[in-house]
């Protein structure tokens, strides 16, 4: 209550302050007299400000005492002018991009003084992007940042790696700082409309001040704050989604039956006695007699639909053909409504927002809804004290039907697995007519309604079960971040900041008692409640002063305490009677009850000195000392440091005659960072990785037991990383062309790793510091203003990143990694260590692989083919990590129109398409009735009809192992995707007349409209960072239209 | 500016929190269900807790690369049953690869999950047992209490080495100097770098010494049937001597005497007991069994989920995917109470091997049926075989018939005078009595160095000679990678 009262009084205060103002109107023009839209108008000596509209005009309320305005705009020289009525200000083209501000650890700096490397993504770049999680905006917008949207489910965040993968058994996710404090919630709980900018900090001089948690880069997320005249902004967007790439092409009913017949025929030819065992006259007869029995469902209405020639008998035709893609996937709909009020005076700035989002996914029932509110205010209490608070609350609910893996209820996997001969609803096999229940309703076919079962995924049918089996994640986030800043003497400030994120994630899963996965248990319901409290208390002194006009110092000294607690309660009940009663109270049998908790605490001390000499030479040095509860008493403290320098060459006298360069800066930095986020095999953080433990819960009936879990390692300490960064920033031709080149090396050593022990030790491994991984690369950023006239402006921005990843040190020759990878010195992470497919033996249609054969006498190794998969040699066949990635953004503004096109390119990298492997199975006995790709029609059929040479013969046993992992299903992942096309129109203010509308904009947006990729059906991002597909969901293409109005 | 002075002082004060930081960081301890070994080895209760954990590991362990049908030792045993001639899997469902001896993730190749399950499960038993053997002397309990705890750990350790040496090498009698498996008798730690493969004879020496010591230390007391007591240790010892005796004929007598002593307190069950579904340790013939309660069940992923055929609609999550070879079914007389074979009613004529299913195993109401680990019928058969091998033909027949007559009221007493014929009869009886209980037919073929020759109509008609490399499982790749005492030459050939 006291907090609410306090907030109310602050709002009241704002009103008071605003009352003592006068309004000034004006216009900002360039040297040719063209209006400059979006120019910033600041009241000198206060925080009040506004910006110009599309026609270059502005209107600002200024305190009676205010004297001057500061006018600035990107690519123009900042000007200071006296306040007058109906002002007209002309800005000179000049000082370039290096005047931008970069948000750094515990402060901000001008880009020209910045010695490190950062990419800034501003709200301008993502305001129209239809994303539900803020990090979705990074793909293609920031160099050095690999973003993979492995999942289409709304509310999920993409995988992000900054400058390659630097950790193996420890989290390689970037560290997320929200308004100066580590963020302790889920990314999807943040409303992207509240975000002003995301700064990606990449090199050591910008990250080392966060020391131990910064090894994999930092995302600094800054929320919006108001300035100038009160502004009310309202926007609404409506969108529609479908798959970004079309699904695989499947065989039809007739083809499915024909192929199955052929497999049976082939097997009868291979296995003697098989045909006679059922009294068949020939292999063909055996196949014709058996095929309907093997597939169980027969949509042709005749008992033996396939004749001895393997073709549909005359008169037989398909009575039904189910399109599961239509039954289980839909057009997603998206509604996003946001409103905000913001403004500021010379003393107080505020931003209040609310948002509602409803984002439906393509799988039936898939949905994400978010309700969010934020209140941010800061105020100058008196001449020495500033205080502020940023408080937000968010509730989101996500219905997340299973999309991936082998569960029967996997909606996306079902479409790719169950062929069209199996209907959604129960049908009469002789006529194909629907069989209705007593009430006249269609009945879902779970595959077990007759004496013979559907041979695949029985009993199951997600069309029937998905609505009855909700899987939801409800997320509650309450955040508050308050600070006070006192000026002690001129130049010296003390700031204290306390941030708390209270985050609860409620996982609920329910399986109904009637049909599907839950029937075996009489229905089951599981509830997991995870509560996180993240607190950070930060105190800093900042000293900023200039001596003798040219020696500028900025010194930061501080300490930080971090406290994290997570408590989990999990319970399950079984035996449910009624549909939809998901609460445990309705279950008859409490099944499990469990709780556990985790803690992490850290204490840190840090300091940084920035020095610049006449804005020509910049030096930066920082140090941080971190202690963490994750390591033993003797190993928990780590020191991390950095040095950096920058030289603004164009400020040198010798450059004064060269007008080509507006900016030219060389920069270099070197430093260390660390990582403590040890992960277990399931990707969960290990909180006490150094302790020797028995693990409880190994119970037999009612007898409690425990087993040895982990051997002790008191020496376990921080993963450490050394980063070298060399860069050149420039702006030329009156800032028409600007950009930067950066070269970096990242060497991660003492990797946090569960060092494998021989399994014969009875232990899986010991948590240890082992091995080294390096990432080396270059990043190029270029921005060109191609055309700039009175009405037309066309800008092109390109970012390019190339990273080479390599394992350079291991404690043993090789370590089996996740998926198909094998860790070995000289190879990259996420590699594919896999058998190499050698095609089909044209004489018998059997699949073959390559094998190294060493001659016993000569010792010479040659490559030969083998038909025994297990005997084939495994080779290193590339990595899922791309060679290089690039983003290209084109922006065209013409009068009131604006057009923005973002293109993303991923070059090389491999993807193993498990989906496709499943669609190309050759052993029919293994998965009869499973869907086939149309590529199966190019199989080997006989020596004279050998097919495409890649697709082997069909059989019913698994002896051939044709589908076992090999390069047959490993594909190049080079692709290009138009991430976004936005076309907007801003109405001229004149049309609103006396209506109190400041500006209005309508726009249409196409997200992921075009994907250029060689392999049809496969989404190049579905494999995620690991590059392996497994029946998952894919990226969506979204069409949306929106309106935003400012009052 | 007095105020600012205070602020400055306050700020400096905060920075000097340095002195408190140790307490702040040390203020947290694990609360995630982990325990320290000092708590475990503080009392008998703690050691009982650690021993229970070993049985849970036997019941539940699955490696990180394991598949759904790799929970616990029961599934590893069933994997061997599926490699015999008597059971047939649905070629479209679980166990097809085991049934077909396919060299993939379910097979005997180094990269498979199944070989890692077998290897790691048993070595986890060994390491946990080693920790008990090392830790018990330090607890303050009576010597007899400590002896029993150590004896039980020794029996568990021997049981695990016996599992390993039988899987990763040919039988003892084929070559006692062949490389067996690495031996560990001390608890492992972070510096354990791996031991070399010990000779088969050394592994058996370790097994026998552990079991003889265990038999001397254990009594018939135990808290419940999941724990190994003296009788169970004797039963394991009888199995071990049976395996070794072809190389040392003096051991037949030891196999016989240990089997007799082991079975003494466990009378054969009657017909009703046999039809109860093999799901409860309350069966008086069961000598050793691993219990479940409802919350420990793995439902359809457990053993019963595969073998039980009663769930025709599939609603209870059963796979209905294990069939019985009709040539095996034909070995049972109509009056044999073990003739629990049912027509595979839900299957189609197009798959001629889908003719019979077995009702021997049926889960209990909460899908948490207990797993049988040892029962006295096997002890009768061990005695019969050992007697026959020692040339005591009639006592051997009497012993065999004592079981046969219990199972079938119309059983006819064998009259053969030929030793080998009698042994063959006993081996057939072992299949009939013990199928799907522990891979008995598979290990009997290995024990007597017999080939696998599939009979009847099966989708996988295999013929595997007795000396084929496929009988020796490959050591898991993670062991080859991490064990500093092994080189690629130590691997069993493909």
């Amino acid at each position: 209550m006291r907090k609410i009262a306090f907030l109310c009084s602050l709002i009241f205060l704002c009103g008071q302050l605003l009352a003592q103002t006068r309004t000034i109107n004006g216009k900002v023009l360039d040297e040719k007299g063209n209006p400059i839209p979006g120019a910033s108008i600041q009241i000198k000596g206060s925080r009040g400000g506004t910006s110009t509209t599309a026609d270059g005009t502005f209107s600002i309320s200024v305190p009676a005492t205010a004297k001057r305005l500061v006018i600035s705009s990107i690519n123009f020289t900042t000007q200071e002018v006296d306040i007058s009525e109906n002002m007209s200000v002309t800005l000179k083209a000049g000082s370039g991009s290096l005047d931008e501000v970069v948000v750094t650890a515990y402060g901000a700096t001008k880009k020209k003084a910045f010695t490190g490397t950062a990419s800034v993504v501003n709200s301008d770049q993502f305001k129209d992007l239809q994303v539900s999680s803020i990090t979705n905006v990074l793909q293609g917008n920031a160099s050095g940042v690999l973003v993979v949207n492995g999942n289409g489910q709304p509310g999920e965040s993409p995988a992000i790696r900054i400058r390659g993968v630097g950790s193996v058994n420890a989290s390689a996710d970037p560290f997320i700082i929200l308004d100066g404090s580590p963020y302790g919630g889920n990314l999807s709980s943040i409303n992207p409309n509240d975000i002003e900018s995301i700064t990606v900090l990449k090199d050591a001089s910008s990250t080392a001040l966060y020391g131990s948690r910064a090894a994999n880069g930092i995302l600094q997320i800054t929320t919006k704050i108001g300035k100038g005249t009160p502004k009310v902004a309202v926007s609404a967007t409506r969108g529609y989604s479908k798959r970004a790439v079309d699904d695989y092409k499947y065989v039809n009913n007739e083809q499915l039956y024909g192929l199955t017949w052929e497999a049976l025929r082939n097997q009868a030819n291979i296995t003697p006695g098989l045909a006679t065992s059922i009294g068949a006259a020939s292999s063909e007869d055996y196949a014709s007699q058996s095929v309907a029995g093997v597939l169980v469902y027969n949509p042709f209405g005749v008992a033996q639909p396939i004749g001895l020639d393997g073709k549909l008998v005359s008169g037989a035709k398909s009575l039904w053909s189910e399109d599961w893609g239509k039954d289980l996937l839909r057009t997603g709909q998206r509604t996003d409504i946001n409103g905000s009020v913001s403004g500021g005076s010379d003393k107080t700035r505020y931003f209040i927002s609310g948002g509602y989002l409803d984002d439906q996914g393509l799988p039936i029932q898939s949905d994400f809804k978010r309700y969010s509110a934020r209140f941010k205010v800061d105020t100058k209490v008196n001449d020495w004290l500033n205080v502020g608070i940023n408080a937000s609350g968010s509730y989101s609910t996500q219905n997340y039907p299973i999309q991936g893996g082998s569960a029967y209820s996997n909606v996306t996997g079902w479409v790719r697995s169950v062929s069209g001969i199996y209907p959604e609803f129960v049908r009469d096999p002789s006529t194909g007519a629907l069989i209705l229940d007593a009430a006249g309703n269609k009945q879902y076919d779970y595959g077990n309604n007759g004496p013979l079962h559907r041979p695949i995924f029985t009993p199951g049918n997600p069309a029937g079960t998905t609505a009855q089996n909700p899987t939801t994640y409800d997320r509650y986030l309450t955040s508050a971040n308050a600070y006070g800043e006192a000026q002690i003497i001129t130049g010296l400030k003390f700031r204290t900041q306390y941030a708390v994120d209270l985050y609860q994630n409620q996982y609920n899963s329910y399986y109904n008692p009637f049909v599907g996965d839950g029937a075996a248990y009489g229905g089951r319901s599981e509830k997991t409640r995870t509560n996180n409290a993240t607190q950070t208390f930060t105190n800093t002194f900042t000293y900023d002063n200039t001596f003798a006009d040219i020696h500028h110092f900025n010194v930061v000294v501080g300490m930080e305490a971090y406290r994290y607690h997570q408590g989990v309660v999990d319970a399950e009940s079984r035996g449910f009677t009624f549909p939809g009663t998901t609460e445990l109270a309705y279950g008859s049998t409490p099944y499990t009850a469990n709780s556990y908790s985790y803690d992490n605490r850290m204490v840190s001390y840090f300091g940084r000195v920035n020095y610049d000499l006449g804005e020509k030479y910049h030096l930066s040095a920082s140090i941080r000392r971190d202690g963490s509860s994750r390591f033993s008493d003797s190993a928990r403290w780590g020191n991390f440091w950095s040095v950096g320098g920058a030289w603004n060459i164009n400020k040198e006298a010798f450059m004064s005659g060269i007008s080509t360069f507006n900016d030219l800066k060389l920069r270099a930095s070197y430093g260390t960072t660390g990582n403590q986020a040890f992960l277990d095999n399931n990707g969960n953080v290990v909180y006490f990785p150094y302790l020797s433990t028995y693990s409880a819960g190994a119970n037999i009936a009612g007898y409690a037991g425990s087993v040895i879990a982990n051997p002790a390692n008191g020496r376990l300490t921080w993963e450490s990383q050394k980063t070298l960064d060399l860069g050149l920033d420039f702006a030329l031709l009156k800032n028409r062309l600007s950009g930067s080149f950066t070269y970096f090396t990242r060497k991660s050593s003492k990797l946090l790793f569960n060092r494998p022990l021989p399994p014969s030790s009875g232990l899986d491994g010991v948590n240890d510091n082992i091995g080294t991984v390096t990432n080396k690369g270059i990043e190029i950023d270029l921005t060109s203003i191609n055309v700039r006239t009175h009405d037309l402006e066309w800008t092109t921005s390109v970012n390019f990143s190339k990273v080479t990843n390599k394992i350079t040190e291991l404690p043993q020759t090789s370590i089996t990694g996740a998926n198909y990878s094998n860790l070995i010195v000289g190879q990259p992470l996420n590699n594919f260590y896999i058998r190499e497919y050698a095609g089909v033996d044209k004489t018998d249609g059997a699949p073959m692989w390559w094998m190294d054969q060493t001659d016993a006498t000569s010792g010479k190794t040659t490559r030969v083919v083998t038909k025994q998969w297990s005997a084939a040699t495994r080779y290193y066949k590339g990595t899922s990590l791309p060679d290089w990635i690039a983003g290209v953004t084109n922006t065209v503004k013409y009068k009131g129109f604006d057009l923005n096109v973002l293109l993303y390119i991923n070059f090389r990298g491999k993807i193993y398409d498990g989906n496709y492997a499943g669609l190309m199975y050759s052993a029919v006995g293994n998965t009869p009735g499973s869907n086939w790709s149309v590529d199966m029609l190019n199989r080997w059929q006989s020596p004279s009809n050998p097919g495409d040479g890649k697709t082997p013969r069909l059989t019913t046993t698994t002896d051939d192992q044709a589908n076992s992992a090999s390069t047959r299903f490993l594909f190049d992942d080079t692709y290009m995707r138009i991430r976004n096309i936005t076309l907007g129109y801003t109405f001229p203010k004149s049309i609103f007349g006396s209506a109190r509308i400041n500006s209005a904009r309508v726009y249409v947006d196409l997200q992921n409209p075009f994907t250029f990729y060689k392999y049809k059906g496969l989404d190049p991002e579905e494999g995620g960072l690991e590059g392996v597909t497994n029946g998952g969901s894919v990226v969506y293409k979204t069409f949306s239209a929106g309106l935003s109005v400012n009052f | 500016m007095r105020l600012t002075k205070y602020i400055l002082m306050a700020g400096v004060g905060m920075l000097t929190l340095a002195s408190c930081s140790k307490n702040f960081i040390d203020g947290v301890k694990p609360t995630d269900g982990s325990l320290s070994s000092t708590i475990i080895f503080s009392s008998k209760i703690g050691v009982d807790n650690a021993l229970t954990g070993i049985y849970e590991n036997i019941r539940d362990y699955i490696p990180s690369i394991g598949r759904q049908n790799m929970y616990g030792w029961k599934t590893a045993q069933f994997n061997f049953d599926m490699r015999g001639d008597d059971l047939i899997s649905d070629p479209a469902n679980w166990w097809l690869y085991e049934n077909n001896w396919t060299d993939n993730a379910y097979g005997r190749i180094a990269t498979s999950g199944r070989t890692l399950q077998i290897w790691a499960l048993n070595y986890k038993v060994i390491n946990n047992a080693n920790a008990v053997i090392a830790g018990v002397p330090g607890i303050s309990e009576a010597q007899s209490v400590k002896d029993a705890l150590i004896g039980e750990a020794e029996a568990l350790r021997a049981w695990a080495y016996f599992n390993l040496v039988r899987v990763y090498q040919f039988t003892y009698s084929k070559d006692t100097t062949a490389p067996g498996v690495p031996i560990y008798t001390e608890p492992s730690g972070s510096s354990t770098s791996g031991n070399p493969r010990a000779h088969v004879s050394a592994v058996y020496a370790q097994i026998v010494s552990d079991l003889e010591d265990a038999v001397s230390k254990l009594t018939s007391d135990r808290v419940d049937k999941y724990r190994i007591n003296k009788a169970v240790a004797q039963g394991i010892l009888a199995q071990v001597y049976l395996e070794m005796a072809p190389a040392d004929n003096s051991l037949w007598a030891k196999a016989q005497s240990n089997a007799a002593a082991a079975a003494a307190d466990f009378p054969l069950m009657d017909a009703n007991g046999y039809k109860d579904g093999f799901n409860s340790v309350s069966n008086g013939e069961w000598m050793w069994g691993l219990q479940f309660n409802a919350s420990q069940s793995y439902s359809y992923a457990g053993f019963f989920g595969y073998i039980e055929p009663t769930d025709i609609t599939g609603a209870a999550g059963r796979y209905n995917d294990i069939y019985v070879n009709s040539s095996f079914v034909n070995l049972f007389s109509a009056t044999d109470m073990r003739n629990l074979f049912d027509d595979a009613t839900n299957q189609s004529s197009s798959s001629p091997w889908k003719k019979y299913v077995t009702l021997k195993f049926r889960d209990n109401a909460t899908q948490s049926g207990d797993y049988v680990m040892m029962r006295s019928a096997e002890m009768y058969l061990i005695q019969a075989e050992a007697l026959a091998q020692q040339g005591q033909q009639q006592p051997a027949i009497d012993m065999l018939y004592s079981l046969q007559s219990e199972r079938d009221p119309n059983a006819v007493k064998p009259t053969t005078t030929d030793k080998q014929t009698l042994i063959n009869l006993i081996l057939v009886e072992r299949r009939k009595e013990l199928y799907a209980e522990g891979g008995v037919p598979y290990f009997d073929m290995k024990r007597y160095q017999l080939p696998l020759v599939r009979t009847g109509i099966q989708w996988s008609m295999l013929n595997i000679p007795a000396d084929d490399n496929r009988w020796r499982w490959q050591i898991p790749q993670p062991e080859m990678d991490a064990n500093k005492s092994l080189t690629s030459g130590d691997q069993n050939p493909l």
Side-chain angles (χ1 to χ4, degrees), chain A residues 531-768:
Chain A
N531 284 290
N532 299 278
T534 309
Q535 299 174 78
T536 311
F537 184 43
T538 312
N539 296 286
T540 50
F541 288 96
T542 306
Y543 181 70
D544 191 293
N545 213 341
T546 305
F547 299 94
D549 280 343
I550 53 167
H551 301 286
H552 173 242
F553 284 91
N554 180 295
V555 181
V556 177
V557 178
M559 70 80 64
E560 189 168 86
Y562 172 82
R563 180 177 182 147
Y564 173 78
H565 178 80
Q566 180 183 71
V568 183
V569 178
D570 172 77
E572 179 177 341
S573 193
R574 293 185 170 181
F576 287 79
T577 312
F578 306 106
T581 53
T582 64
E583 292 298 340
L584 303 188
Y586 296 95
S588 64
T589 316
Y591 182 67
T592 57
N594 197 8
S595 78
Y596 44 93
S597 59
Y598 302 107
D599 289 279
N600 180 211
R601 291 186 186 177
M602 284 181 67
V603 174
S604 311
Y605 306 92
F606 52 86
R608 177 179 62 202
V609 180
N610 285 343
Y611 165 72
D612 56 85
L613 178 63
E615 296 202 332
K616 253 190 241 172
Y617 310 104
H618 304 271
L619 287 173
S620 169
S622 71
I623 185 156
R624 178 164 175 134
R625 182 166 171 76
D626 277 345
S628 170
S629 60
R630 297 239 177 118
F631 304 114
S632 79
D633 209 18
S634 59
R636 71 168 44 129
W637 289 95
N639 298 321
F640 308 94
W641 56 269
S642 75
V643 291
W647 176 26
N648 282 312
I649 302 170
N650 64 315
K651 302 270 180 179
E652 294 288 351
F654 61 79
M655 291 288 289
S656 60
I658 305 166
S659 61
T660 321
F661 288 96
N662 304 90
D663 281 315
L664 190 60
K665 184 179 95 173
L666 270 177
R667 57 190 157 76
S669 73
Y670 184 75
T672 66
T673 47
N675 192 356
Q676 61 164 336
F678 207 115
L679 301 182
D680 65 15
N681 286 334
N682 300 318
N684 298 317
V685 170
V686 182
Y687 286 85
F688 293 93
Y690 66 94
L691 290 177
S692 154
T693 52
Y694 270 74
S695 176
N699 311 327
I700 293 268
Y703 303 99
S706 45
V707 290
I708 295 171
N710 213 19
N713 182 1
R715 289 166 309 175
L716 185 73
T717 189
W718 304 89
E719 179 170 308
S720 87
Q721 189 168 97
K722 295 186 176 72
T723 305
L724 170 71
D725 199 81
L726 302 170
L728 173 73
D729 300 340
F730 61 89
L732 1 138
L733 309 170
K734 293 184 179 165
N735 292 309
R736 290 288 284 266
L737 182 64
S738 60
S740 65
F741 297 100
T742 308
Y743 167 81
F744 69 88
T745 63
R746 269 176 86 191
K747 184 175 172 188
S748 315
S749 55
K750 291 196 289 177
L751 295 175
L752 291 174
F753 204 97
N754 187 259
R755 172 167 63 83
L757 290 170
S760 62
S761 67
L763 299 165
D764 297 321
V766 54
N767 296 332
D768 210 346

Side-chain angles (χ1 to χ4, degrees), chain B residues 135-411:
Chain B
V136 164
I139 67 170
S140 46
E141 294 283 352
Q143 192 57 41
S144 61
V145 172
K146 292 190 196 179
D147 278 354
L149 294 169
I150 288 175
E152 188 174 349
E154 285 175 334
L156 280 161
R157 183 164 74 179
W159 174 85
Y161 278 123
F162 185 49
N163 290 330
L164 288 164
V165 76
R166 281 196 301 168
V167 171
Y168 291 95
Q169 191 46 270
F170 291 120
T171 188
Y172 180 78
S173 61
K174 185 174 169 85
D175 181 4
T176 58
T177 64
V181 295
I183 295 178
Y184 299 79
T185 52
E186 300 286 332
S188 299
S190 60
S191 59
T192 301
S193 63
N195 290 348
R197 291 181 77 173
H199 283 178
V200 166
S201 57
V203 179
Y204 274 91
Q206 176 68 40
I207 293 168
V208 169
S209 124
D210 269 347
L211 284 170
E212 292 286 6
D213 198 47
V215 168
S216 75
K217 286 192 161 92
L218 284 166
T219 68
S220 63
D221 287 349
R222 56 179 165 184
V223 296
D224 214 327
K225 250 189 198 173
Y226 74 93
R227 301 279 290 265
I228 290 177
N229 65 0
K230 183 171 187 165
V232 177
Q234 286 169 322
I236 301 167
L237 192 51
Q239 293 169 335
V240 171
Y241 283 135
L242 196 71
E243 182 88 31
M244 297 170 76
D248 176 358
N249 287 320
S250 70
L251 298 177
W252 294 115
K254 287 192 175 183
Q256 180 202 338
S257 60
N258 277 289
D265 292 337
F266 302 92
L268 293 175
M269 65 182 116
D270 61 14
N272 288 332
Y274 208 95
K275 287 173 182 163
D276 275 350
F278 276 78
N279 61 24
S280 172
V281 295
S282 64
N283 186 312
E285 189 182 312
W286 285 29
M287 301 166 64
W288 182 24
L290 299 176
Q291 292 127 289
F292 283 84
N293 64 24
S295 71
Q296 291 157 5
S297 149
Y298 357 78
S299 177
Y300 55 89
F303 172 64
F304 292 96
Y306 302 106
I307 196 158
E308 178 171 347
T310 56
D311 175 25
I312 301 306
T313 63
R318 305 250 178 258
Y319 289 99
N320 299 301
D321 63 346
I322 305 300
Y323 299 90
V324 186
N325 189 347
S326 43
S327 63
F328 181 60
V329 171
N330 292 338
L331 296 174
F332 294 80
S333 79
T335 51
D336 194 324
M337 70 192 197
R338 297 171 300 191
N339 193 339
L340 294 170
F341 305 104
D342 206 2
D343 284 346
T345 50
N346 58 333
Q347 296 308 334
S348 84
S349 60
S350 62
S351 301
W353 52 82
K354 293 184 177 178
K355 204 159 159 51
Y356 294 107
V357 292
T358 173
L359 296 168
K360 179 176 174 182
F361 298 94
R362 278 173 293 114
D363 213 343
N364 67 22
T366 56
Q367 301 188 327
S368 51
D370 301 340
Y371 285 170
V372 59
M373 296 295 285
M374 186 184 288
R375 57 192 179 91
S376 52
E378 184 188 356
M379 298 300 125
Y380 281 68
L381 291 162
I382 291 174
Q383 290 177 70
E385 186 179 335
L387 286 164
Q389 288 284 6
Q390 292 172 88
Q392 300 185 45
Q393 189 81 359
Q394 196 53 46
I397 290 174
D398 293 345
M399 181 59 70
L400 174 63
Y401 185 65
S402 67
L403 174 69
Q404 288 174 326
S405 57
E406 194 66 36
R407 296 297 184 240
D408 182 357
N410 298 329

Side-chain angles (χ1 to χ4, degrees), chain A residues 774-884:
Chain A
T774 58
N775 288 281
K776 291 183 184 176
I778 53 169
E779 293 159 359
I780 300 170
D781 287 274
L782 291 172
T783 297
S784 157
I785 302 168
N786 306 325
V787 177
R788 185 158 68 197
T789 67
H790 181 72
D791 288 329
L792 178 68
E793 184 173 298
W794 172 29
T795 311
T796 303
S797 297
V798 179
N799 65 71
F800 171 92
S801 328
K802 178 172 168 53
V803 183
T804 310
N805 177 284
K806 201 191 251 186
I807 302 164
T808 49
E809 195 187 316
L810 282 182
Q812 64 188 51
T813 312
S814 73
I815 297 173
T816 303
N819 296 307
Y820 303 101
S821 70
N822 198 42
L823 309 183
I824 189 165
V825 170
Q827 287 292 328
L829 294 171
N830 291 12
N831 61 44
F832 290 96
Y833 180 55
I834 200 167
R835 291 172 173 84
E836 186 174 352
Y837 192 56
V840 169
D841 181 342
K842 287 199 165 54
T843 59
D844 64 2
M848 303 182 296
W849 298 269
W850 291 103
M851 176 171 74
D852 285 350
Q853 203 168 53
T854 306
D855 188 274
T857 47
S858 71
K860 214 177 122 191
T861 300
T862 49
R863 260 160 66 102
V864 295
V865 295
T866 174
K867 291 180 186 174
Q868 192 188 348
W869 175 83
S870 58
T873 305
R874 287 188 288 169
Y875 302 98
Y876 292 95
K877 287 290 174 185
T879 166
S880 67
L881 303 171
D883 270 14
W884 54 262

